[in-house]
Amino acid sequence: MIAKTQTAIGFSPRTMARGIPWWLSAAVAAVGLLVVLPVGALIGIAAEGDAEIWPHLIANVLPASTIDTLALLAGVAIVAGSMGITTAWLVTAHHFPGRSILVWLLPLPLAVPTYITAYIYVEIFDSAGLAQMALRDLMGWRSRADYWFPEIRSLPGCILVLSVVLYPYIYIAARAMFLTQSASMLEVARTLGASRIKLFRIIALPLARPALAVGVSLALLEALNDIGASEYLGVRTLTVSVYNTWLNRGSLAGAAQIACVMLAFAVGLILIERYGRRDRRYALSPKRHRTVHPVPLAGGRGWTASLLCALPVFMGFILPTGFLLRETLRGGLVDQFNLDFLAHFMTTIGLSVIATIVVLVIAVLLVSAARLSKNSLTKGVLLAAGLGYALPGTVLALGLMTPLVGFDNLIGTVWRHLTGERLGLLLMGAAGGIIIAYVIRFLSIATGSLSAGLDRVSPSLEDAARTLGASRREMVWKIQIPLMRPALASAALLIFVDCIKELPATLLLRPLNTETLSTLVYTYASRGRFEDGSLAALVIVLVGLIPVIQLVRSAEARPKVVADNTDLSGTASP
């Protein structure tokens, strides 16, 4: 009877597994084209450039920019990696004063954009900043010739600024893996006389390698994408060189050629991350598995652990947020919350909301299509969607410029033939380019979160629905989407805040006379008046706190058990 019913409606589990409707296949293919189009356009622009540009870049631009970029990435990997791994191990494996509070505070620097932290550190630690002025008043020094103070506008200063903001990527990934490690292995090592440091070095750290590879690669991709902090602190990275070559020197082809080098860096980081996650499957018995019980640290050791964990929180969150709050109140900047500021705020919120909705819709289509039919098309598009996050904002903006202008010209030509009137720019003139850039860049966050959410669901639920004759549409609307609601909510929060913080793509693709909160802060800082943008920066930070707190809450509530053959590298990126 069941087989006859399924045949009568033209549906069976076998036909569902074979393929998906043509319109869904077309939509999946269109998404794949949208993601790879900027890369193809970028290569085309670079190839069409003047033959004299490339030798000039090799001789004068690329050597210094490449060295600075490599040094910056290496420094961030070391400093941010040390901060993230050390703090994650301390709060997971030990008890010490303030631990319960620090567990919640350590991820909070994620809410502060790197460029805002850079502007604040210059205001505090530069020669005319608060710290050096206080030292001169206290010690009676008259000029910089009387004393030495580390220069914040330097490569080491940039490494420090980026590290105190980006270390939570590594902290969250490392803590998730430390929480899942079996206590029995550590107890055996302790019985054999291993010290705490040796336990960490030979057992805990190697087992966490897959998650550490993911966390470090995310932090380095964010460092590569940064433009505001690097430019303001005087570090001439490849990203800054793309921006200067395009806008200040008027060479689109030269900027595209530098962007291709950046793209090679991004691909290299992905390959390194994949290499770090090789042989990444570890089997733990759920019957015997016990998680690590924190060991008390008494006396000086406990207070040292508290200091080591509190220092990154202070430098990455408390200091920047406190400075912004101080400047906002002291300068009476609350009065800036006028109609103009409200318009910039609503522009930021509107762009972020639209982009978030579009990303979620596309992600549901992709993940549902991949769930219904695991063919080469859906697998390839999901892989391409994952590469979007690896595209730095400047590279993405540069690659989108030509396709978007070409599309606007095509629509304008058709409209002029039909009506005899000029239409103007639809995408580039109405912030459509910014939304498309957001969608491409943050699509991987949604697809990864939704895929992980569905993978936790037993296939028996879908099998039962198929047996009862559910159509593909019913499978998506009544089974998959309700099961994906928690993942949809968390992905929406993360994407929304990432859109609010995004600077490079917004800066390069925004229409004339259009400002978002991030570009408003950048404009004030570029004019040497960052303190006037404190209110906009404070709003960005406060809005960013919401998903970070939700992320910590969900991570702390997650069951700390691991089943056999669990893929420990499947940590969702913050």
Side-chain angles (χ1 to χ4, degrees), residues 449-503:
S449 180
L450 298 186
S451 297
L454 276 183
D455 287 343
R456 298 188 185 102
V457 177
S458 174
S460 60
L461 292 177
E462 295 178 347
D463 293 339
R466 291 169 182 169
T467 303
L468 294 174
S471 65
R472 293 183 179 91
R473 182 178 301 176
E474 290 173 332
M475 283 285 298
V476 174
W477 284 102
K478 296 184 178 181
I479 302 295
Q480 293 182 358
I481 290 182
L483 292 174
M484 288 190 292
R485 281 178 183 172
L488 278 170
S490 61
L493 285 172
L494 293 174
I495 295 166
F496 176 75
V497 174
D498 277 339
C499 291
I500 288 178
K501 295 193 301 181
E502 171 63 30
L503 177 63

Side-chain angles (χ1 to χ4, degrees), residues 425-442:
L425 299 177
L426 292 177
L427 296 178
M428 295 301 296
I434 298 177
I435 294 175
I436 293 175
Y438 289 170
V439 170
I440 295 174
R441 178 151 168 73
F442 303 124

